[in-house]
Amino acid sequence: MGANTSQVSDLSENQSLRTLIGTESISENDPFWNQLISFTFISPTSSGNSKLLEEAVIPLAKILIENNPRTGNFGALVRIFLGRTKELKISTECQDQLFIWQAHNALFMIRCLLKVFIREMTEEELHLQFSYQERVPGSCDTGSEVLLEELMCNLVHLVVEVPLLDITYSILFEAVTTMLVLLSYQLFHKEILRDGLIYQYLMKGQCLSLTSRLVKTLLYNFIRQEKCPPPSTHIFEQQSDRGGLLYGLASGVASGLWSVFTLGGAGTKPGLDQEQNPLPLSNQSLLLLLVLVNLTDGPNDCPNPYRQAVKCFKNTQDTSSIPTEQHHMFQINFNSLYTALCEQQRSDQATLLLYTLLHQNTNMRTYMLSRTDMENLVMPILEILYHVEDRNSHHVYMALIILLILTEDDTFNRSIHEVVLKNITWYSERSLTEISLGSLLILVVIRTIQFNMTRTRDKYLHTNCLAALANMSAQFRCLHQYSAQRIISLFALLSKKHNKVLEQATQSLRGPRRADDSSVLPDYAQDLNVIEEVIRMMLEIINSCLSNSLHHNPNLVYALLYKRELFEQFRTHPSFQDIMQNLDTVLSFFSQRLEAAGTDLSVERVQEVIMKGAQALPKDRLKKFPELKFKYVEEDQPEDFFIPYVWSLVFNSGVGLHWSPTGIELFSMDSG
């Protein structure tokens, strides 16, 4: 597409582009189109190169917006692309790289133009840009008003029908990326979009029948984690002495519109972006899947079909018959999906997918909970929480909610104490040469609570952390000495905080007060109420462990006895009297046995007394309390949280996509 264009700054001078955006209509039969879409490049994957490209395309797209109502050249370009894609599957089978290459180039140009169009105009105005076309005198309308829908459905067909090979990687990546671009109207609206043309095209008509195949393909793109093929895959031989329409990168001629863009990126360190984004199709497919699954339900109780598909898919190993009434049902290899999820948790979007599957697909949740290698899934989640300072708050929430959902299952709570881990390298506070997965989970959750108390002070975070510990508490087994210490240390921290707030409230009552100080006392009362709720929950967690598995946890009894003075002040407190009864019983029982054993006891002797005492303590001495169980429930309008979150991931992690922060309404730029 113009042999003289070697850098982005030359785009505005490119003659082929000037013709496309100009004032003259170009017939779809004109050889011009073949020339226009014959250029060699690889789509940029770095944000820096994407920004340069977008800045170069914007002025050209604006001229096209102005001229297209008269020329219809944009619609013609779309129809050229649609014509090429009709043969794509056959081209792939025949290894016809030329055909695939030209279709890819046409789609790349469409995507670049659409991205500007969407920022500049409403959906209705966008629809008109597709509707304009060259009219032969006396001819009638050929139904071009459905061209936008035809493009949408064609992209879905392309993604689900064209196999993923080296020669098709780029066009599949472009198809997924173009769909994301078409859905990006949401970025420019503060309110959640619940309808619209593009929404309707995806939810109804031709696209609806391909729902399950699209979801399955996007999941398999994520599972396969295919790296982008090397640039040599895209090299074409020169076709004649003069170069003709095709130039190869190998020829040394800067032949394409954007030949300067390769996966390594112009103006960046070699290989840097390849290392950061080695899996562009996998990443982009996951983002598109999350966007589709989180679209709102349609009017008149019409459920989102993509969410329905994610809710009900089954394992390929499951031989039971599929209920006929379940729409959008498909089967996928659960083992492969589980493995990919375990490997990819460092990214927000993979953690969000894990949450989505655990929360919405009972088949997948049951499968995950039945795995004997649960540590492969839990350890990356714990590592996210351990590095809470480096993660955005949404990622931390998702990790915590995943733990909460897992701890709803008693089998999980028992089995994690049976998995023994060696040398946890990322846990830096203390050397952990050997610890159970359950004890490590307790350590990390307590650390998250302590971080939250000193930094973010987010009640929602506290609630989820404590709920996960509470769910596990009845099945605590053989707690590591350090984990038992940290449970009591957290209680000590809460106790100290409680006393401090109580003292401040008392002083403010005694001291002189200004007329405008009416808000001080309610603030103290609220702080005190929150701290007492957390203290109550911690006491319930300790009580649950003592009531259900005291004989399995001598280290916790040891830690309680060592710090028993901490609990004195709460014995007579009206909010804690009932829950303190069992704790008092345990402390009194073991204190008496230790006194009877003599003075100056070694640590080993104390532990021996505790072990024997745990077997001797009559269970009927401990008062029964209702089982501690918490279940995660989504908010009434989860889309208010998830849609901005998903689009912030697209904004920050979309490969080869750059949006200027100006004009983004859905979320603030510092929201994380």
Side-chain angles (χ1 to χ4, degrees):
M1 182 198 221
N4 297 321
T5 301
S6 60
Q7 54 188 347
V8 171
S9 57
D10 294 339
L11 283 183
S12 59
E13 306 305 319
N14 182 273
Q15 191 52 52
S16 296
L17 275 185
R18 302 302 304 178
T19 303
L20 175 69
I21 65 174
T23 55
E24 298 296 322
S25 290
I26 310 161
S27 166
E28 289 171 40
N29 300 318
D30 196 304
F32 162 82
W33 296 106
N34 201 44
Q35 181 181 351
L36 179 74
I37 60 176
S38 296
F39 55 90
T40 302
F41 77 104
I42 301 172
S43 310
T45 59
S46 78
S47 58
N49 289 342
S50 302
K51 182 183 178 187
L52 286 174
L53 176 60
E54 172 129 327
E55 287 170 351
V57 169
I58 286 173
L60 303 175
K62 287 184 174 179
I63 296 171
L64 182 59
I65 290 169
E66 193 176 318
N67 291 332
N68 192 51
R70 292 183 296 279
T71 66
N73 286 344
F74 178 71
L77 174 61
V78 172
R79 282 187 286 273
I80 293 295
F81 165 70
L82 294 175
R84 291 289 195 283
T85 57
K86 286 185 176 72
E87 306 295 331
L88 265 183
K89 201 170 179 186
I90 297 169
S91 300
T92 305
E93 290 167 1
C94 301
Q95 296 282 304
D96 186 348
Q97 296 187 46
L98 171 61
F99 216 84
I100 298 167
W101 172 60
Q102 288 191 322
H104 165 269
N105 289 353
L107 182 55
F108 178 78
M109 294 180 71
I110 291 165
R111 188 252 285 187
C112 290
L113 292 168
L114 277 175
K115 197 157 172 297
V116 181
F117 286 5
I118 285 168
R119 187 162 198 138
E120 296 291 321
M121 60 184 74
T122 65
E123 270 192 300
E124 289 71 22
E125 290 167 335
L126 177 71
H127 188 259
L128 287 173
Q129 292 293 336
F130 280 84
S131 300
Y132 303 129
Q133 63 174 324
E134 180 191 14
R135 296 282 170 81
V136 179
S139 69
C140 61
D141 194 328
T142 58
S144 59
E145 69 279 354
V146 296
L147 190 60
L148 175 54
E149 181 178 11
E150 196 179 339
L151 175 63
M152 286 290 297
C153 292
N154 190 280
L155 293 173
V156 176
H157 270 282
L158 199 160
V159 171
V160 302
E161 289 184 354
V162 174
L164 175 53
L165 307 169
D166 277 3
I167 59 171
T168 60
Y169 191 102
S170 289
I171 194 165
L172 289 169
F173 171 77
E174 272 311 318
V176 171
T177 305
T178 306
M179 289 177 72
L180 272 176
V181 167
L182 281 163
L183 286 158
S184 67
Y185 269 109
Q186 181 63 77
L187 278 172
F188 308 104
H189 292 81
K190 195 161 189 65
E191 73 282 1
I192 303 301
L193 299 181
R194 299 174 187 277
D195 206 352
L197 285 172
I198 291 161
Y199 176 98
Q200 287 175 22
Y201 294 153
L202 278 168
M203 297 288 196
K204 300 174 184 175
Q206 302 172 57
C207 289
L208 184 62
S209 62
L210 294 169
T211 295
S212 58
R213 289 182 65 193
L214 178 58
V215 170
K216 182 176 182 176
T217 304
L218 294 175
L219 276 172
Y220 268 125
N221 286 350
F222 167 70
I223 288 169
R224 288 177 66 173
Q225 300 288 315
E226 290 282 350
K227 293 189 175 182
C228 194
S232 59
T233 312
H234 305 268
I235 292 173
F236 297 92
E237 299 297 323
Q238 276 186 247
Q239 300 296 300
S240 69
D241 293 340
R242 297 180 56 207
L245 299 177
L246 304 179
Y247 290 82
L249 290 173
S251 69
V253 179
S255 60
L257 253 189
W258 299 293
S259 58
V260 68
F261 287 109
T262 62
L263 270 177
T268 62
K269 291 179 183 176
L272 181 63
D273 283 283
Q274 177 70 13
E275 288 171 19
Q276 291 172 348
N277 285 310
L279 310 163
L281 179 61
S282 173
N283 180 76
Q284 221 84 323
S285 295
L286 178 51
L287 290 173
L288 177 59
L289 177 63
L290 292 171
V291 167
L292 292 171
V293 169
N294 285 286
L295 290 172
T296 57
D297 288 336
N300 306 318
D301 296 323
C302 181
N304 174 348
Y306 302 95
R307 190 179 303 131
Q308 293 296 105
V310 161
K311 275 184 176 180
C312 64
F313 69 77
K314 299 172 75 172
N315 194 353
T316 48
Q317 307 301 312
D318 188 347
T319 55
S320 61
S321 59
I322 295 171
T324 52
E325 70 275 6
Q326 282 199 304
H327 299 298
H328 314 302
M329 169 67 80
F330 65 91
Q331 290 183 297
I332 200 165
N333 187 309
F334 277 16
N335 181 55
S336 301
L337 181 53
Y338 178 83
T339 303
L341 286 166
C342 292
E343 291 172 351
Q344 297 299 314
Q345 285 309 304
R346 62 186 172 274
S347 79
D348 276 72
Q349 45 269 41
T351 305
L352 182 51
L353 176 63
L354 173 57
Y355 158 78
T356 303
L357 296 177
L358 269 174
H359 178 55
Q360 298 192 10
N361 190 308
T362 53
N363 301 321
M364 191 70 196
R365 180 167 67 248
T366 302
Y367 174 84
M368 288 188 197
L369 289 166
S370 71
R371 294 284 301 207
T372 55
D373 60 348
M374 183 55 79
E375 67 274 16
N376 291 341
L377 189 69
V378 175
M379 288 291 281
I381 298 299
L382 295 184
E383 204 168 344
I384 292 167
L385 293 176
Y386 187 78
H387 296 111
V388 60
E389 303 95 332
D390 307 322
R391 303 291 180 179
N392 68 69
S393 60
H394 287 16
H395 200 182
V396 172
Y397 282 151
M398 288 298 101
L400 266 178
I401 293 167
I402 286 165
L403 286 186
L404 179 53
I405 293 171
L406 292 172
T407 60
E408 289 171 16
D409 183 78
D410 283 343
T411 306
F412 170 83
N413 294 331
R414 282 191 295 272
S415 65
I416 55 174
H417 292 288
E418 296 165 5
V419 177
V420 178
L421 306 166
K422 309 260 187 184
N423 300 316
I424 314 303
T425 53
W426 48 261
Y427 194 95
S428 58
E429 269 96 332
R430 176 171 170 153
S431 174
L432 297 175
T433 52
E434 188 170 291
I435 189 170
S436 72
L437 179 59
S439 288
L440 181 65
L441 195 158
I442 292 165
L443 281 178
V444 172
V445 171
I446 286 174
R447 186 179 182 274
T448 307
I449 294 172
Q450 291 181 323
F451 173 82
N452 187 44
M453 284 173 65
T454 55
R455 306 280 184 90
T456 53
R457 301 182 60 176
D458 184 333
K459 188 179 176 183
Y460 185 83
L461 207 67
H462 268 347
T463 304
N464 283 290
C465 286
L466 291 167
L469 289 177
N471 283 347
M472 294 168 60
S473 58
Q475 273 88 31
F476 282 173
R477 293 287 187 278
C478 304
L479 288 184
H480 191 279
Q481 179 186 358
Y482 186 49
S483 301
Q485 287 172 9
R486 298 306 292 162
I487 290 171
I488 307 306
S489 297
L490 175 58
F491 189 84
L493 189 65
L494 290 165
S495 176
K496 188 176 177 183
K497 199 172 181 66
H498 176 268
N499 294 341
K500 186 178 178 183
V501 174
L502 200 58
E503 186 183 334
Q504 288 171 334
T506 307
Q507 286 176 353
S508 67
L509 270 172
R510 290 176 183 156
R513 297 176 65 208
R514 298 194 308 272
D516 60 349
D517 268 359
S518 58
S519 66
V520 173
L521 281 178
D523 281 353
Y524 281 129
Q526 189 179 1
D527 283 353
L528 201 60
N529 187 45
V530 170
I531 292 168
E532 288 185 355
E533 277 182 22
V534 177
I535 288 174
R536 168 87 193 183
M537 183 74 110
M538 283 301 299
L539 286 171
E540 287 181 341
I541 289 165
I542 294 168
N543 176 67
S544 173
C545 176
L546 296 177
S547 302
N548 292 283
S549 53
L550 181 144
H551 57 292
H552 288 300
N553 291 292
N555 284 331
L556 181 62
V557 176
Y558 184 98
L560 284 167
L561 287 165
Y562 190 71
K563 292 284 187 180
R564 55 181 172 265
E565 73 281 354
L566 277 174
F567 302 93
E568 290 291 332
Q569 61 176 308
F570 299 109
R571 183 176 287 122
T572 55
H573 195 293
S575 298
F576 311 117
Q577 272 181 316
D578 62 331
I579 203 77
M580 281 296 297
Q581 287 179 28
N582 284 347
L583 201 55
D584 267 346
T585 300
V586 170
L587 289 172
S588 299
F589 176 82
F590 283 98
S591 295
Q592 288 169 11
R593 292 182 79 90
L594 286 170
E595 284 172 18
T599 55
D600 296 327
L601 300 176
S602 66
V603 172
E604 290 77 14
R605 177 66 182 130
V606 171
Q607 288 175 332
E608 185 186 331
V609 171
I610 290 171
M611 293 280 281
K612 287 182 178 176
Q615 302 297 328
L617 177 65
K619 289 189 176 180
D620 57 7
R621 292 267 300 273
L622 299 179
K623 181 184 172 185
K624 288 291 180 188
F625 283 85
E627 188 183 12
L628 274 185
K629 273 298 171 189
F630 293 86
K631 190 173 177 62
Y632 170 70
V633 179
E634 269 189 354
E635 300 286 342
D636 287 341
Q637 291 185 297
E639 64 270 18
D640 292 342
F641 171 84
F642 285 104
I643 291 179
Y645 180 31
V646 169
W647 277 105
S648 71
L649 296 181
V650 177
F651 180 87
N652 290 308
S653 311
V655 181
L657 288 170
H658 167 80
W659 282 278
S660 167
T662 312
I664 302 294
E665 296 284 340
L666 183 61
F667 49 81
S668 59
M669 287 301 113
D670 58 352
S671 67

